[in-house]
């Protein structure tokens, strides 16, 4: 999909330059060179996954990158509700204390393979980029003490 967008952008800009009589030949040449470089970059650099959907039936920790943010790891799950779900919180055995400060909830805490909170900042980056659905799976996961 990213390649198609790049190609369409290239074609539209090429048409604009070709039919715009106000642009001189040197400006057209510079624009075409820039467009060729951008198209080459689109072709050679694969798009980075922006959600767990890109990983299909994976139920493992994956790296995603949303525009405007550094890449980060997120546990993906396809066991409970089908492919593409990002796990934002898990409480496994009570070993991680969830009574935390605002800063810790903002940044996230715990071990992505065990009990954790992904972090408000990462969650914000994910939903700011594209709409998401929330699926809540609950159950008794550890014994009362």
């Amino acid at each position: 999909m990213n390649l198609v967008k790049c190609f369409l952008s290239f074609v539209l800009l090429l048409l604009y330059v070709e039919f715009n009589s106000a642009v001189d030949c040197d400006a057209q040449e510079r624009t075409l060179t820039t467009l060729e470089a951008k198209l080459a970059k689109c072709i050679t650099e694969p798009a980075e996954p922006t959600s767990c959907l890109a990983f299909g039936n994976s139920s493992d920790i994956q790296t995603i990158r949303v525009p405007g943010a550094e890449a980060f790891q997120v546990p993906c799950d396809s066991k409970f509700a089908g492919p593409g779900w990002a796990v934002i919180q898990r409480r496994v055995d009570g070993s991680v204390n969830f009574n935390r400060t605002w800063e810790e909830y903002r940044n996230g805490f715990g071990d992505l393979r065990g009990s954790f909170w992904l972090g408000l900042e990462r969650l914000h980056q994910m939903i700011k980029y594209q709409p998401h659905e929330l699926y809540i799976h609950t159950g008794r996961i550890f014994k009362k003490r």
Side-chain angles (χ1 to χ4, degrees):
M1 186 67 168
N2 190 33
L3 183 59
V4 172
K5 287 180 183 179
C6 286
F7 180 73
L8 289 176
S9 296
F10 178 78
V11 169
L12 289 173
L13 287 170
L14 182 62
L15 289 172
Y16 171 79
V17 170
E18 186 67 31
F19 294 108
N20 188 348
S21 60
V23 177
D24 63 36
C25 290
D26 289 337
Q28 284 182 341
E29 185 66 34
R30 286 192 305 274
T31 303
L32 288 174
T33 302
T34 302
L35 291 174
E36 288 171 350
K38 286 182 179 180
L39 183 60
K41 183 177 180 182
C42 286
I43 292 170
T44 58
E45 291 183 5
E48 292 182 272
T50 58
S51 74
C52 286
L53 282 172
F55 301 105
N57 287 325
S58 173
S59 289
D60 201 5
I61 296 172
Q62 303 291 348
T63 301
I64 64 172
R65 185 176 187 280
V66 294
E70 294 291 322
F72 58 91
Q73 291 189 317
V74 61
C76 297
D77 186 86
S78 63
K79 293 177 190 171
F80 293 109
W85 293 96
V87 180
I88 61 172
Q89 176 181 310
R90 182 183 301 128
R91 296 184 79 168
V92 178
D93 58 9
S95 63
V96 174
N97 183 359
F98 276 70
N99 185 14
R100 302 287 183 122
T101 65
W102 172 257
E103 190 69 24
E104 289 171 305
Y105 269 94
R106 182 176 180 265
N107 296 325
F109 57 85
D111 177 8
L112 295 180
R113 296 208 179 273
S115 297
F116 74 95
W117 167 252
L118 188 61
L120 292 169
E121 187 60 36
R122 289 185 182 128
L123 187 56
H124 170 71
Q125 292 166 348
M126 289 167 61
I127 62 175
K128 182 175 110 175
Y129 175 65
Q130 63 190 15
H132 281 69
E133 294 180 31
L134 179 64
Y135 174 82
I136 300 173
H137 178 84
T138 62
R140 190 172 189 157
I141 51 176
F142 52 90
K143 296 177 184 177
K144 285 187 177 181
R145 294 179 188 189

